[in-house]
Each structure stands twice: as C-alpha cells, then as structure tokens.
Amino acid sequence: MKKFIIILNISLLFLVACTKNLDDYNVNTKAAQIGEAPAATLLSNAQLSLASIMASPNVNNNIFRLLAQHWTQTTYIEESNYNLVTREIPDNFWTLLYRDVLRDLKEAQTIVEKTDPKFTDPAVIKNQLAIIDMLQVYTYSVLVNTFGNIPYTEALDISNLQPVYDDAATIYADLQKRLDADLTNLDLSKPAFETADLIYKGSVEKWQRFGNSLKLKLGMTLAESDPALSKKMVEEAAPNVFQSNADNAAFKFLKAPPYTNPIWTNLIQSKRKDFVIANTLVDRMNTLEDPRRPFYFTMVEGEYKGGVYGANNSYPSYSKPSEKMTAEDFEGLLLDYAETAFYLAEATERGYQVGGTAESHYNNAITASILYWGGTDAEASAYIAKPEVAYSTASGDYKQKIGLQKWIALYNRGHEAWTEWRRLDVPALIPPVGNDRPIPLRFTYPVDEQNLNSKNQEAAAAAIGGDKTDTRLFWDKQ
C-alpha cells in the first residue's frame, strides 16, 4: 500500500510539472477555438455566403432580377419601381458582402499565412492563398460594379470604423494585379483546400480557369474606359478561360436546410407569392420561340405570359419561376462558360486577338446556355439558325446582337444581367409608366455610411458625380 501511495504521488508531481494549468484539460483540442476557426471552414462559409447573396431573391438585399426586368412584382411593387430606400437594400447588400464574405476570406488568409511551411508544403499554401484572393477579387468587383468608389485599402480593419473610399478605376487596376499574382502562384501539381472548397472540390486547374475567366470579365468591363488595359487583360486571359459548362463556377446547394437554394427558401418554403416573370423578357423570348422557356418559366393556361413590369400583377395570371430553378438544390452560378463566350465574341469584334470568330463564340455562348438549362444540341442549332438570332442576319450592330442574347442567357443571374445592360445598353429597357425614377445605374451608399463615415462617404460621392442612382460608374461610357 505504501508503495502504491509513493508511485501515485510521483505521478501527480510529474503531471503538475508538465501542465501549466489544469484547465487546459477542459479544452477540446479538435474543436475550433474562438478566433481560431480553421481557414478551410472560413473558406467554405465565405463561399456559401457569396453564393447565397448573389442567388437570393429577397427584396431586402438583392433586387437585381427586378433591375434587369427579368422578374416583376405582384402586390408590393416598390422595388420594381426603383425604391432602394425603404428596405435599406444598399445597406444590406453592402454588409453581407463585407461582413459575411470578405471578412471571412480575410481571416482565412491570415490563418493560412501563419501556416508553418515545415508541416505544410509551401506550394499548397500558395494555392490556398491564391484561391482565397481570387474570391476576394470577385467580391470586390461586385461591390465596385454596384456602388462605384468603395472602401478598399482600409477596408476590413475592425479598429478603423471610418475607412477612406478608394477610386473605383484604381481598385480595378489593383484587382488585375492581384489576379495576375494569383495565377502565377497556382501550382496545378499540388492540392489546395480539397473538400472544403465547395465550388471546385479542390481542383486547382478549375481555379486557374476561373481566375482567367474573371480576368477576361474585368478586362471586358474596362473596354470603353481603358481600351489599352482591357485589350492587354483579355488577350492574356483568353487562352485559359472556361472551355465548357463543366468549368462553371457553381455552388451546389443542398436539399437540407440551412444550405438550400435561397430561391426555394424565399419563395417555396416561405410560400410567398411576390414575383412573376416580367413581360419584358417573356415577350422577347416568345417572339424568338426560345427553347429555354420551359426551363425558365411556368405556363399559364398553355402559354408563357409575363406580368407588366412595375405594375400590380395577379399572381395566378402570369408565369412564375420554373420548378427547376425553385428546387431546394438548384445551384447558384458565380461565373459560367456562356458569359465567358459572349465576352470572347465581343472581344473579337473590338479587334482583340483571342482566337476564333465573333460568330463562333456567339454560337458557343447560346448553345452552352441552352444545354445548361436542359435543352438539346438540336434545339440550340435550330434556335441559332433563326434569322432573328443568327449572327449574320440578326438586326443591329454587334453590341445589340450580343447584348440581347447575353441578357436572355443571364436569366437568374440578376446582378450580371443588370451590369451588362448598363455596359452595352441592350436591350432598350424603360422605366414603368408613371414612374419618375430612372432605372438605377448604381446603388446609393448605405445610410450607415452616411451617418457613421460621413466625411469619407461625402468625398466619395463628390468624386463620382453624386450619390445618386443615375450616376454612371467609371466604366459606363455609353
């Protein structure tokens, strides 16, 4: 018995000597601690947040389907008549991107930068940082394309509640440099985040194509404001952009809440009847006998019928979003091959050296869109052969031909459809009858910024020509 007591005492002394604090034993070493969430978890959450806000139809934060006149409203019609103030829509969109996307990505970046290269291959670390940064570049481009000048160099610093606003064109130039560095740092022979990457499941090759396609997109956005930089970016990116729908940057929502398609959440689960398809889109697609109609809309009494844009519309009387796109697990697109091919068609018309012809890229874009939604190659070929659609016979100049078909193909991607309408001025959308507000060309700055960061917000407003919805952004030269 005495021997047992002596051994026990020695063991306790050893335990105390090796432990700074016995409370350490109450810590689950396998769980993320406060302020120490794994970078992979933060990446996954940022991707979910980004895909959700871009796909959401919630009128409190995403009304871009309405601004593009793809959808219209039934009873509550303030947003389709361009009232951005009542629901503080700019505030909510701004906050969701800065707080839920960029902040998580910044924290993930910080954690990866602290990774010890003794235990993780430096090439893997570079891949992870490049992917995080490309998502930051994408998100900042959305903010610039929505507001104009925004906080950038001083953004995301919780100790600085009054960040300065950077010039939008200067931000774009820096985003290009960041993308170039990211693409240089990618090593296709090494992994990155693997299953935590909810967009490409760890495929570094897919991220390389995403980065180049994003560079192409940003370059084409600059086509009117900085033709030289635009040409350089586009020609450098073109050889390595998306090649098919298999490359699409798609977020796979799940059937199980809370990871469901936000369209399902806001329309089906909530049983709301706020939206019908706008006649602006339905009438044009009916005229063209577009094969995507059954995948885009429901039918009413055997026909596709759009509600009058901006007016009160009876929900039962008009086509609604299709069952395909309101399914719980319908994916959200951030960037796709159809959009990319339309950019290449436009680049060719502008004299950029990207290979192929404007017609071939145009045809590829339309075909990709039809196949993505569920149509067939035969349907795509027949549609493209229509005189009103065929590149050689469709009416208008190249901007009108490409712009119209791109506007149709960007259905369910409201922000991009709105952006391309502003950039190409196609189609010729008009405000609702009796509405004294012009179609917004940008969002006004958040009310919180006006109240809490007024000096910098006022300077930014003055720099862009006024904090108004009809102020053109720097790249909008039409």
Side-chain angles (χ1 to χ4, degrees):
M1 183 66 179
K2 290 182 179 179
K3 291 180 180 179
F4 175 76
I5 293 173
I6 291 171
I7 293 172
L8 180 60
N9 287 338
I10 292 173
S11 299
L12 286 173
L13 287 171
F14 178 78
L15 178 63
V16 172
C18 294
T19 306
K20 294 181 181 179
N21 189 334
L22 292 174
D23 288 340
D24 291 345
Y25 283 89
N26 292 323
V27 176
N28 180 359
T29 57
K30 295 183 178 180
Q33 305 303 309
I34 296 176
E36 297 178 359
T41 300
L42 290 163
L43 174 79
S44 299
N45 195 62
Q47 289 180 340
L48 171 62
S49 297
L50 178 58
S52 296
I53 180 55
M54 297 306 291
S56 175
N58 191 312
V59 290
N60 292 296
N61 49 50
N62 184 336
I63 62 168
F64 300 115
R65 292 180 184 87
L66 299 176
L67 299 187
Q69 296 192 10
H70 284 169
W71 289 9
T72 191
Q73 293 171 286
T74 54
T75 304
Y76 308 104
I77 61 173
E78 291 86 353
E79 290 72 37
S80 51
N81 282 272
Y82 316 130
N83 181 345
L84 308 182
V85 179
T86 302
R87 300 181 192 273
E88 297 187 353
I89 298 165
D91 299 63
N92 298 328
F93 191 68
W94 174 287
T95 299
L96 288 167
L97 290 180
Y98 271 113
R99 183 195 65 197
D100 296 348
V101 180
L102 288 171
R103 185 62 228 173
D104 276 2
L105 291 172
K106 178 66 174 178
E107 187 64 22
Q109 179 184 37
T110 300
I111 293 170
V112 173
E113 287 173 344
K114 294 179 180 178
T115 303
D116 192 336
K118 294 179 181 178
F119 302 105
T120 302
D121 188 333
V124 173
I125 295 173
K126 279 189 172 184
N127 280 347
Q128 291 178 341
L129 290 173
I131 290 169
I132 291 170
D133 195 61
M134 283 190 283
L135 285 168
Q136 288 178 311
V137 168
Y138 178 96
T139 307
Y140 273 119
S141 73
V142 171
L143 282 164
V144 170
N145 291 345
T146 306
F147 295 95
N149 293 6
I150 58 169
Y152 179 68
T153 54
E154 293 185 6
L156 308 179
D157 181 356
I158 60 174
S159 64
N160 181 8
L161 300 180
Q162 296 180 320
V164 299
Y165 285 56
D166 294 87
D167 173 70
T170 303
I171 294 173
Y172 248 68
D174 191 61
L175 295 179
Q176 176 245 321
K177 293 177 182 178
R178 289 171 64 169
L179 271 180
D180 285 347
D182 295 335
L183 290 167
T184 298
N185 287 335
L186 286 176
D187 184 340
L188 273 59
S189 69
K190 302 292 182 179
F193 286 104
E194 300 181 340
T195 57
D197 172 12
L198 303 180
I199 295 176
Y200 285 129
K201 308 303 181 191
S203 172
V204 178
E205 181 179 1
K206 295 287 188 184
W207 279 109
Q208 183 189 57
R209 292 203 177 278
F210 172 85
N212 279 289
S213 299
L214 179 55
K215 182 176 177 179
L216 170 74
K217 174 188 177 74
L218 299 185
M220 288 308 302
T221 306
L222 297 174
E224 296 290 339
S225 61
D226 193 339
L229 179 58
S230 171
K231 187 174 188 294
K232 177 178 182 294
M233 292 175 67
V234 169
E235 291 182 348
E236 289 175 351
N240 295 301
V241 296
F242 292 163
Q243 300 299 303
S244 72
N245 284 331
D247 293 328
N248 291 351
F251 187 93
K252 309 297 193 296
F253 291 107
L254 305 177
K255 289 188 175 182
Y259 307 109
T260 47
N261 168 20
I263 304 174
W264 176 84
T265 303
N266 283 271
L267 302 188
I268 306 303
Q269 184 185 49
S270 67
K271 299 181 180 179
R272 296 194 66 87
K273 299 179 179 180
D274 296 332
F275 304 107
V276 294
I277 308 304
N279 60 344
T280 321
L281 179 62
V282 174
D283 292 352
R284 186 61 64 96
M285 293 182 73
N286 280 340
T287 299
L288 297 173
E289 297 181 329
D290 196 300
R292 286 165 288 193
R293 287 175 296 171
F295 307 112
Y296 280 17
F297 326 126
T298 62
M299 298 186 83
V300 177
E301 298 180 349
E303 63 178 338
Y304 301 104
K305 187 176 181 181
V308 177
Y309 183 78
N312 290 108
N313 291 285
S314 168
Y315 184 79
S317 301
Y318 300 104
S319 296
K320 272 74 71 176
S322 69
E323 292 184 4
K324 180 182 182 71
M325 66 183 297
T326 58
E328 299 101 309
D329 57 348
F330 185 66
E331 66 185 20
L333 288 176
L334 297 179
L335 188 61
D336 70 354
Y337 172 58
E339 180 186 0
T340 301
F342 278 123
Y343 285 130
L344 292 173
E346 181 186 344
T348 303
E349 288 284 12
R350 290 181 180 273
Y352 299 178
Q353 301 302 308
V354 297
T357 64
E359 182 176 10
S360 66
H361 292 306
Y362 172 88
N363 291 346
N364 289 342
I366 295 173
T367 300
S369 175
I370 292 172
L371 294 179
Y372 173 80
W373 281 95
T376 65
D377 282 306
E379 288 174 326
S381 297
Y383 180 71
I384 292 169
K386 292 177 180 292
E388 311 96 305
V389 178
Y391 200 73
S392 60
T393 56
S395 62
D397 59 19
Y398 77 87
K399 290 183 181 179
Q400 292 169 316
K401 296 177 184 182
I402 294 170
L404 174 60
Q405 289 299 326
K406 193 171 190 179
W407 176 72
I408 295 173
L410 286 172
Y411 177 71
N412 199 41
R413 295 187 58 208
H415 189 274
E416 299 311 323
W418 176 56
T419 297
E420 290 304 290
W421 169 77
R422 291 178 291 163
R423 198 173 67 82
L424 298 173
D425 288 326
V426 179
L429 303 180
I430 58 174
V433 175
N435 180 15
D436 59 357
R437 301 186 186 99
I439 302 175
L441 301 179
R442 61 178 292 273
F443 273 9
T444 52
Y445 289 124
V447 175
D448 282 347
E449 285 292 297
Q450 297 172 28
N451 293 333
L452 303 176
N453 192 17
S454 58
K455 181 179 178 180
N456 291 318
Q457 181 271 328
E458 289 170 2
I464 65 173
D467 189 14
K468 301 175 293 184
T469 60
D470 60 351
T471 298
R472 290 184 180 272
L473 300 185
F474 79 98
W475 46 255
D476 186 0
K477 299 294 185 180
Q478 301 299 313

